[in-house]
Amino acid sequence: MAAAAALVALAAVGAGSLLDLRTPAPRPVDAPAGEFSASRAYEDVKVIATRSHVAGSPANDQVRAHLEQQLRGLGLETEVQDTVAPEAGQLSGAAGGATLARVRNVVARLPGTDSSGRVFLVAHYDSVQTGPGGNDDAAGTSTILEVARALTTGPRPRNDIVFVLTDAEEACLCGASAFAASHPLAADGGVVLNLEARGSTGPVIMFETSRNNAKLVDVFGRAAPHPVGTSFAVEIYRALPNDTDFTAFLDQKFVGLNSAYIDGGAIYHTPLDTPASMDRGSLQQHGDNALGLAREFGRTDLTDLRSGHDATYFPVPGGLVRYPGWLTLPLALLAVAAVAALGWLTRRQGRASTGRLAAGFGLALVPIVVAPVAAQLLWLAITTIRPGYAELLDPYRPIWFRLAVLALAAAILFTWYALTRRRIGPAALAVGGLAWLALLGVLLAVAVPGGAYLTTLPALAGALGGLVALRTRQTGPWPVVAVTAAAAVGVIILLPTVVLLFPALGMGMGGVAALVAVLLGLTALPVVDLLHPQAGGQRGLLALRARRLGVLPAAAAAVAAVVLAGVGLAVDRFDAAHPAPTHLMYAMDAGTGQARWLSHEGDPQPWTDGYVDGVTDVGDDFPGLGDGELRAGPAQSANLPAPKLEVLADASSGGERTLRLRLTPQRAARLATLHVDTSTATVLRAEVAGRSVPVEPREGKWGFGLVFHAPPTEGIEVTLTLRPSAGQVSLRAMDASDGLDALPGFRPRPPAVGVVGSHSSEMLAVARTYPI
Ligand SMILES: [Zn+2]
């Protein structure tokens, strides 16, 4: 009875914390004017994401015109910042060389009544070339339009609110970097709320903050109606190679919060990222939170938003728990002390000897290590059966595989418990498990403080619950109540973490979720133990039956893991609506007429196999594609012109040669690149469109390079100051457009074959060498 009651209580707590992560119901078009309505915002999503609208394209011009018209229609001061800007902090494009773009940001201002600073709502309106950006980032852009509308219906805020719809985020974050670095409204900095989507569904997570975030997080917890965010996510995100516009704002002038929904990652950057794919509950949550935060920051004194420290925070049913980061280490040490006290009392009461406590500690490491490894092996097996998964951020229907990983973690934990419980005893194993959580807490407090709460608080609760249970000495229901309450703390903290980690990291890193699931299981060991007969109480036939019962949950979980993985493979088949993603591009040398198909796929799928075979390094022929090995195969030559490179001026003095050049694509190009063979000349200085760019040496033949996104039709002016080491300088010009359909020899994909969500998918590059 006690066991059943405890399990029901824990299940209820778990269900409560999962329900709390649900997105709100989208509000209808006739919702009150002061509210955010996802249905109203969705009308803009449909206009913005009608088709792919990559920076510089005519489709993007149309989107921009719509945004301007909407913001002007609200009576807001609206303008377009039209400029050339470098990449924020030289991030992803650095492989090809110094990266810039021509950008056109739409900027609108709602003037405050007595402004103490500025609040910036930021989203990018451009999409990738491979998809219409129905979520990424029509979600953020349409949210900002609807928030602007709601704000203009009420009383004017105290602080200026600036709506910044950036361009060329996908290419290089260049729009955001242009705004942050050179727009007059950005000169004094302020609070940035960046809105993103990296999938199609799930809760909106506030996953990134500026440093010293305690005051910001406090406002977030108070003013966002659905505050889902954890200081652990901030730590994970810092370790991942992702960037958003928010990166461009991370300097001294700005503070802020970055939010996105991230589940349904299979469609990310693909043709399937359409308006129809969007979960409007996620859009509603984006809007509710953005509007709540804009109103709160709109009335807060913005002069003092930086605190001396980062906060630890995490979601619990009904809100956001937060405490100062400086408490992290003291709490972690307190948890260690509490677990030590529990071990001492366990021994004193004769529930476990020192030897058994030591064995319990050692053995508790087994599931902590084995479960993540097994989860990774399971995914390896699944991707061997279905290689197409390798190119996806997450499967289309990941739920079955996520459940399989959880069942596998449970099977390992239960098997371990069934094997060790009789010999070591439940008390020693429970203390051993808590000891690892407490020690991990100290490790995290030192290395990743924002994640320390994950193990510190469950360990502390578990130790206190255990101490209460031992002190009350089996009288009445109190021991069961104490261990159940302690396990509930573990469930509240770790269950949402497991659920959010899956979409955050994808199935390829499902082992991390398995690890957290095992830690959750260890905090609940005393409750799990209630299901087992008392240790050492039976002999003979009864004991045998008891042991068999102990094996039952382990066997059930193992069977469930296999069945769930099988169901996943059966249900999540590739078809026209869920195609297997493939990567292909085409590169031609206009000088020699030689052309190649290229693919990033490490192990090409059948469709891609029809184009490419061996591995090649294209760095010498197409330095604009960056480095790295690609699969390549011969292609027919197409009748495509290379970008034109004209010499506007050529002057030499004192051993330096200054070349003023114009690089002009001869077709609608998404980007153009220019590289210098540094065996023919050393580049001393470089200027693009009147802006000096850093001269950083690249590996290989083409030791200097420039990448220019959204080149204007009249071309790009480049001035190079060189020290020649040969009679002629060798320059390589390349441009790239999108879409392979018109190429000779290209066969359209069959229905169940799709396009990888990558910045180089379907790219068509033409290059030529100019000796000058
Ligand atoms: Zn994107």
Side-chain angles (χ1 to χ4, degrees), residues 128-133 267-274 579 754-757 762:
V128 286
Q129 81 287 357
T130 40
I267 59 109
Y268 179 55
H269 283 178
T270 75
L272 302 174
D273 186 7
T274 59
V755 175
V756 171
E762 308 302 280

Side-chain angles (χ1 to χ4, degrees), residues 124 126-128 136-137 169-170 196-198 268-269 759:
H124 69 89
D126 64 310
S127 77
V128 286
D136 175 19
D137 193 14
E169 190 268 357
E170 299 294 357
E196 267 283 1
R198 198 221 57 185
Y268 179 55
H269 283 178
H759 292 292

Side-chain angles (χ1 to χ4, degrees), residues 61-322:
D61 294 344
Q62 285 178 14
V63 171
R64 184 171 57 255
H66 173 74
L67 303 177
E68 276 188 78
Q69 186 211 337
Q70 294 297 101
L71 290 165
R72 288 223 168 86
L74 296 172
L76 297 170
E77 300 167 19
T78 306
E79 51 142 0
V80 173
Q81 181 192 16
D82 186 345
T83 186
V84 170
E87 181 172 37
Q90 289 294 315
L91 303 157
S92 47
T99 304
L100 304 98
R102 190 238 176 141
V103 299
R104 282 159 289 182
N105 297 324
V106 181
V107 181
R109 186 170 78 109
L110 176 62
T113 52
D114 177 23
S115 198
S116 65
R118 294 202 169 102
V119 184
F120 301 94
L121 281 119
V122 182
H124 69 89
Y125 73 87
D126 64 310
S127 77
V128 286
Q129 81 287 357
T130 40
N135 293 277
D136 175 19
D137 193 14
T141 305
S142 68
T143 293
I144 288 179
L145 293 179
E146 170 69 2
V147 165
R149 191 206 51 71
L151 287 175
T152 50
T153 59
R156 284 248 303 280
R158 171 190 174 183
N159 298 318
D160 273 13
I161 307 223
V162 183
F163 308 97
V164 188
L165 302 173
T166 66
D167 195 7
E169 190 268 357
E170 299 294 357
C172 51
L173 320 179
C174 288
S177 106
F179 181 81
S182 65
H183 197 284
L185 287 174
D188 301 324
V191 186
V192 174
L193 304 172
N194 190 53
L195 310 181
E196 267 283 1
R198 198 221 57 185
S200 61
T201 184
V204 173
I205 303 166
M206 194 280 284
F207 65 98
E208 189 184 15
T209 69
S210 49
R211 302 258 168 194
N212 297 323
N213 61 23
K215 287 183 186 168
L216 293 165
V217 167
D218 199 52
V219 174
F220 176 69
R222 207 169 62 225
H226 322 280
V228 179
T230 121
S231 42
F232 184 47
V234 175
E235 305 275 13
I236 294 183
Y237 190 74
R238 282 178 191 155
L240 291 176
N242 297 333
D243 278 294
T244 68
D245 274 345
F246 195 68
T247 306
F249 290 94
L250 286 177
D251 69 9
Q252 291 306 307
K253 281 193 299 184
F254 297 95
V255 296
L257 306 172
N258 197 1
S259 303
Y261 56 86
I262 60 170
D263 210 350
I267 59 109
Y268 179 55
H269 283 178
T270 75
L272 302 174
D273 186 7
T274 59
S277 72
M278 178 188 275
D279 176 345
R280 279 169 244 181
S282 299
L283 185 63
Q284 184 68 43
Q285 188 173 1
H286 238 336
D288 284 346
N289 284 0
L291 182 57
L293 289 170
R295 286 206 170 113
E296 185 62 22
F297 282 118
R299 61 174 157 253
T300 308
D301 183 352
L302 299 181
T303 50
D304 186 30
L305 273 180
R306 221 179 283 263
S307 9
H309 58 270
D310 279 332
T312 283
Y313 55 95
F314 53 89
V316 293
L320 189 79
V321 169
R322 46 202 186 271

Side-chain angles (χ1 to χ4, degrees), residues 312-514:
T312 283
Y313 55 95
F314 53 89
V316 293
L320 189 79
V321 169
R322 46 202 186 271
Y323 58 83
W326 52 261
L327 267 176
T328 305
L329 192 57
L331 274 175
L333 296 173
L334 182 65
V336 171
V339 174
L342 178 65
W344 174 81
L345 190 63
T346 306
R347 202 181 70 94
R348 216 178 76 121
Q349 290 196 357
R351 286 164 181 272
S353 63
T354 308
R356 284 191 171 193
L357 281 171
F361 177 67
L363 287 169
L365 190 58
V366 173
I368 294 175
V369 172
V370 172
V373 171
Q376 293 302 118
L377 290 176
L378 175 68
W379 188 242
L380 189 68
I382 289 169
T383 48
T384 306
I385 297 169
R386 191 150 298 157
Y389 281 159
E391 302 293 331
L392 279 170
L393 200 61
D394 224 7
Y396 289 104
R397 286 148 292 207
I399 183 67
W400 303 104
F401 299 121
R402 291 176 186 172
L403 291 172
V405 164
L406 295 183
L408 185 64
I412 286 161
L413 188 75
F414 291 152
T415 305
W416 164 82
Y417 199 57
L419 291 175
T420 54
R421 179 179 178 270
R422 221 164 46 89
R423 203 160 295 169
I424 310 297
L429 291 171
V431 175
L434 292 176
W436 281 109
L437 276 123
L439 289 177
L440 270 174
V442 176
L443 200 70
L444 289 165
V446 173
V448 252
Y453 77 92
L454 285 173
T455 58
T456 289
L457 298 184
L460 188 57
L464 296 178
L467 285 169
V468 169
L470 290 185
R471 294 294 296 172
T472 50
R473 293 195 177 252
Q474 311 276 314
T475 49
W478 297 112
V480 174
V481 171
V483 296
T484 307
V489 171
V491 170
I492 287 174
I493 290 176
L494 294 172
L495 189 59
T497 309
V498 171
V499 169
L500 296 176
L501 270 173
F502 277 119
L505 299 176
M507 286 307 301
M509 285 173 76
V512 182

Side-chain angles (χ1 to χ4, degrees), residues 438-717:
L439 289 177
L440 270 174
V442 176
L443 200 70
L444 289 165
V446 173
V448 252
Y453 77 92
L454 285 173
T455 58
T456 289
L457 298 184
L460 188 57
L464 296 178
L467 285 169
V468 169
L470 290 185
R471 294 294 296 172
T472 50
R473 293 195 177 252
Q474 311 276 314
T475 49
W478 297 112
V480 174
V481 171
V483 296
T484 307
V489 171
V491 170
I492 287 174
I493 290 176
L494 294 172
L495 189 59
T497 309
V498 171
V499 169
L500 296 176
L501 270 173
F502 277 119
L505 299 176
M507 286 307 301
M509 285 173 76
V512 182
L515 169 65
V516 177
V518 160
L519 295 178
L520 170 58
L522 288 174
T523 67
L525 270 192
V527 178
V528 172
D529 195 69
L530 295 172
L531 291 175
H532 293 69
Q534 288 223 328
Q538 298 95 1
R539 294 274 179 277
L541 206 62
L542 260 178
L544 192 67
R545 191 174 295 163
R547 236 177 296 161
R548 277 195 194 143
L549 277 173
V551 174
L552 204 67
V559 170
V562 173
V563 169
L564 287 163
V567 170
L569 281 167
V571 169
D572 194 50
R573 285 177 196 280
F574 292 127
D575 56 34
H578 312 88
T582 54
H583 182 277
L584 191 68
M585 49 186 179
Y586 175 92
M588 186 181 81
D589 187 306
T592 62
Q594 207 185 57
R596 272 180 286 184
W597 298 110
L598 299 169
S599 176
H600 272 298
E601 287 177 50
D603 182 11
Q605 296 173 69
W607 183 80
T608 322
D609 242 346
Y611 294 91
V612 296
D613 36 59
V615 173
T616 187
D617 191 332
V618 295
D620 277 0
D621 293 334
F622 297 92
L625 297 180
D627 35 18
E629 294 196 325
L630 297 172
R631 298 265 163 183
Q636 292 173 46
S637 172
N639 184 20
L640 293 165
K644 195 162 81 179
L645 190 64
E646 296 164 274
V647 180
L648 304 177
D650 185 353
S652 295
S653 78
E656 289 186 6
R657 183 179 178 196
T658 302
L659 276 176
R660 201 152 66 79
L661 308 161
R662 187 191 299 281
L663 176 65
T664 317
Q666 302 300 297
R667 53 205 190 95
R670 170 159 61 93
L671 61 94
T673 69
L674 185 66
H675 287 78
V676 178
D677 179 347
T678 42
S679 71
T680 61
T682 307
V683 180
L684 303 172
R685 288 180 295 282
E687 258 183 32
V688 179
R691 262 148 243 270
S692 92
V693 294
V695 178
E696 273 164 33
R698 299 176 72 243
E699 294 277 310
K701 176 181 177 182
W702 305 97
F704 172 81
L706 291 167
V707 179
F708 197 102
H709 292 272
T713 44
E714 68 271 20
I716 311 146
E717 207 174 292

